[in-house]
Amino acid sequence: MRLDLDNARERDAADPLRHWRDRFVLPQDAEGRELVYLCGHSLGAQPALAAEYVEEVMRDWRSLAVDGHFAAHRPWITYHQRLAPVLAGLVGAEPIEVVAMNTLTTNLHLMLASFYRPAGSRTALMIERHAFPSDRHAAESQVRFHGLDPARDLIEIAPREGEDCLRTDDVIEAIEREGARLATLLLPGVQYLTGQALDVAAITTAGRRAGCTVGWDLAHAIGNVPVGLHDAGADFAVWCHYKYVNGGPGAVAGAFVHARHAQRDDLPRLAGWWGHDRATRFQMGPEFRPIPGAEGWQLGNPPILALAPVAASLQHFEAVGLAALRAKSVALTGFLEALIDARLGGRVTILTPREPRARGAQLSLRLECGRDRARAAFDGLRARGFVPDWREPGVIRAAPAPFYNRYEDAWRFVDALDAELAAA
Ligand SMILES: Cc1ncc(COP(=O)(O)O)c(C=O)c1O
């Protein structure tokens, strides 16, 4: 594999998705120079179309006010419903199984309220030891909410000693070992720190065989890797839209509830009027009849201004298709990996799995020069106009996003890191 700058540029010239970069507004430094943005795993870059969608809502609000609910260019009353088919495609679901609402952590609590139902000897909630803090706080507080003790009923699975990633066999073995006392399993589709993509199908199957409910946090997976929630049989999933989905800071999040639960009025849930039957919602009656499917978990009417950038971005996903994005992503991240191995081998360890099917766009790097020098190298990268991010205890995450990153970005990043490490 040729790994020089000319080769990176040849790859960009041959990239069938290269023109999509022009539809994004990439950040610049104080002098107006474009930054090399590698942080789509944290906050995706802005699609230019997002501003138009937001302005459309502002315009409709100005001219129509309350009538905008039904008469807006894209009526607000059904705004979220129009997103469902594209979202369903991104997570491998049927439209009835997905809804855009709230934030990820809110949705996680709503889902756990319905699907973590400790009873008899099945009281435990299983998470990973290195779960994103919000997932851990949600899980732990849910255990306490049921009057249980996290020391006993919050089970953690961790990578083996000396390893960074979870082995699928170990996860399945833990599920089988703890099976009889497991009420719910909650895992990430893509682990935020290592970038590892878990085997959603195999782990969900094992969880369901063990008799527990299975939920997924797809924050780092949606728009990044293909996920097949419906076929896997997951009970629920939650995600945000501000990472690879490019929906903007604090964008309205998403949730999945499997179709087998769609008509279940018996499931306990924390309800609100936007989850009530659409046909009778405005009769303002006291009874609650949930909309079949994920929409039945909605609470209040959605923040349309915060949904608008998500709607704009999903239009791009619909036009390109996840398969084409994923194909470029595998090639682009593979190129970044090959460059790191060739130029930084021995000085940088890639924590992310090597097999493309076990990762998304992100590579997580440990610099083998001690935490403080690694932090100095990271600061140096920022000063040179590169935007990866830093996560304690000393990991640099860099994600070339297929919508707007180039092979040249990967080359320049590794070249700059090489220079920073030489200076460290
Ligand atoms: C894996 C994961 N879970 C949960 C969250 C929290 O999401 P929110 O703040 O949108 O609720 C994040 C945020 O980055 C995340 O990466």
Side-chain angles (χ1 to χ4, degrees), residues 41-42 103-108 131-135 188 190-192 217-220 239-240 242-243 250-251 253 391 397:
H41 57 277
S42 179
T103 61
L104 187 158
T105 309
T106 311
N107 290 341
L108 184 51
F132 190 87
S134 204
D135 295 37
V190 171
Q191 214 279 346
Y192 81 99
D217 175 343
L218 300 183
H220 288 258
W239 58 85
C240 56
Y242 45 74
K243 299 177 185 291
R391 280 288 172 273
R397 304 184 300 177

